[in-house]
Every structure is written in C-alpha cells, then in structure tokens.
Amino acid sequence: GQNIDQPTEMTATEGAIVQINCTYQTSGFNGLFWYQQHAGEAPTFLSYNVLDGLEEKGRFSSFLSRSKGYSYLLLKELQMKDSASYLCAVRDREYGNKLVFGAGTILRVKS
Amino acid sequence: DAGITQSPRYKITETGRQVTLMCHQTWSHSYMFWYRQDLGHGLRLIYYSAAADITDKGEVPDGYVVSRSKTENFPLTLESATRSQTSVYFCASSPSHEQYFGPGTRLTVT
C-alpha cells in the first residue's frame, strides 16, 4: 500500500522562505509531484521529481531523496498569494502508475 | 481554448437519484481521471481511463460508473446517490506525467 504524510498546517511571513515536507512509503515509487490548490479552486501542477536532487522553478524548488522516502517543497520570497494548500502526490508502479495524494498542507502567509 | 471543463459546477440532488457529472478536455490527452476531495482525505481516485473505451477502477469506485466513448469526454455517473457521495469532484487529464484539473463540481446529496 501507500502512505503519504505532510504537516496539516503551516504559517509563514511574507518575504520569508518556507519548507513543506512530505514523507512517503510506496512499494513501486515512480515519481513525486507537488500541486498547489487555492481555496475553492482546482489543483495546479507545480513540480515533478523522479530522480534524487533539487528541481528549481522560479521561487519554487522541490527536492527528492528516494532512499529516505522524503521530499520537500521550498517557497522563497513568500507572497500573500502563496497562501494555499500544497499537495504531495506519489506515482506508484504497483498501483498502475496512478497518483496517490497526501491530505495536503495548508500554508498561511501573514504580512 | 477552454482546456478542461466540468459541468455542472454545482448540483444538489436527493438520495437515490441518478446523477451524471460531465468532463470535457480539448487537448486530446490520452489519460483522464475522476477524483473526489473530502476534508481530511485529500484527493482520492474514483476511476481513470488510459484511452477511449479503456477504463479502470481507482481507490473508491463503489457506487460510480464511467464511460469513455470519445477521447475528449469522460462522464461520471452516480447510479443511486447517497449522502456519503456529497463531495467536490475533480476531473483531470494528462498527456504523460503531470495532470491538469478541471474546476470541479460541488455535489450535495440530501
């Protein structure tokens, strides 16, 4: 089976850096995804990691360690519009390569 | 260029009624998915489709039926709605890795 853990909520200050962690347990890991979801809206794709290391995309970076079953999403220069839920999802070869989502981390950015 | 759309956006129905939620994408993506999102559970896969006429169950398929006669459409039917099916339903499509989500349908079963 699959198990994905993320913190439920985090609060950070505008202009700061925040790291959202995700740990997972899967039998057939085949990629990790991060999505952003604003309240009342659809999830939007942020990043995809399949190999170990850091992927940078503007203010957002995502890191993966397959041996530790661990990923994090790093948000720099936080803006108020970054207040949203951040979903970690794992693609599992044993699950037909479908995505399994964590419950999400609600990030609140305060001024 | 609408991308992926869902209809209706909001629906209230009674227990026991049949309800169909529509999903349409204009990208010709092979893969399409239906999820439900509930507080405390995150997104859970109901059904998915790898191509027209190919569908398979996800994590929570009971009480739902899907079809995919055309690549661009992937309707989800609740055969006899129950209160436990009150949820927000998202359709998604994918060319390979990342999935693109529709705006969602908020369904309330009374």
Side-chain angles (χ1 to χ4, degrees):
Chain A
Q2 307 90 17
N3 190 40
I4 301 173
D5 287 314
Q6 311 177 229
T8 304
E9 295 183 16
M10 299 181 71
T11 301
T13 304
E14 194 175 16
I17 299 173
V18 71
Q19 178 175 310
I20 302 174
N21 296 325
C22 172
T23 58
Y24 63 88
Q25 292 176 317
T26 64
S27 45
F29 178 83
N30 194 24
L32 188 140
F33 299 76
W34 284 97
Y35 285 82
Q36 179 191 59
Q37 185 177 24
H38 285 101
E41 297 183 9
T44 55
F45 171 75
L46 287 178
S47 69
Y48 166 63
N49 295 70
V50 66
L51 299 176
D52 291 350
L54 189 68
E55 294 281 341
E56 296 186 79
K57 193 185 293 186
R59 293 189 299 114
F60 293 8
S61 302
S62 57
F63 172 83
L64 174 67
S65 169
R66 289 172 295 171
S67 62
K68 295 182 180 178
Y70 169 69
S71 172
Y72 67 73
L73 181 69
L74 194 70
L75 290 75
K76 304 176 186 175
E77 301 169 13
L78 277 175
Q79 302 175 11
M80 299 298 290
K81 68 178 182 179
D82 296 330
S83 293
S85 183
Y86 291 85
L87 312 177
C88 174
V90 173
R91 188 163 62 185
D92 191 339
R93 204 176 285 113
E94 300 291 324
Y95 187 47
N97 273 323
K98 299 185 287 290
L99 290 185
V100 178
F101 283 83
T105 299
I106 297 172
L107 174 65
R108 295 189 173 86
V109 180
K110 58 181 182 179
S111 58
Chain B
D1 185 6
I4 183 165
T5 57
Q6 293 183 234
S7 61
R9 295 293 314 278
Y10 302 90
K11 176 75 176 178
I12 300 174
T13 192
E14 295 177 341
T15 302
R17 300 256 188 187
Q18 183 179 82
V19 177
T20 296
L21 309 184
M22 305 301 292
C23 178
H24 176 79
Q25 53 112 350
T26 60
W27 295 306
S28 298
H29 289 167
S30 295
Y31 295 90
M32 294 189 76
F33 308 83
W34 274 106
Y35 294 90
R36 60 179 290 174
Q37 188 172 38
D38 306 287
L39 280 174
H41 287 280
L43 284 161
R44 291 182 291 174
L45 183 66
I46 304 170
Y47 269 95
Y48 76 104
S49 169
D53 296 323
I54 301 175
T55 62
D56 204 353
K57 296 177 181 179
E59 182 185 356
V60 288
D62 293 344
Y64 304 95
V65 174
V66 293
S67 63
R68 194 163 176 211
S69 57
K70 293 184 178 181
T71 298
E72 61 267 29
N73 296 325
F74 191 38
L76 175 75
T77 298
L78 288 67
E79 295 182 295
S80 178
T82 64
R83 289 195 180 87
S84 65
Q85 292 178 310
T86 292
S87 186
V88 180
Y89 291 85
F90 287 102
C91 177
S93 71
S94 174
S96 58
H97 298 306
E98 66 272 24
Q99 296 184 15
Y100 298 93
F101 286 80
T105 295
R106 184 174 293 275
L107 176 68
T108 301
V109 183
T110 62

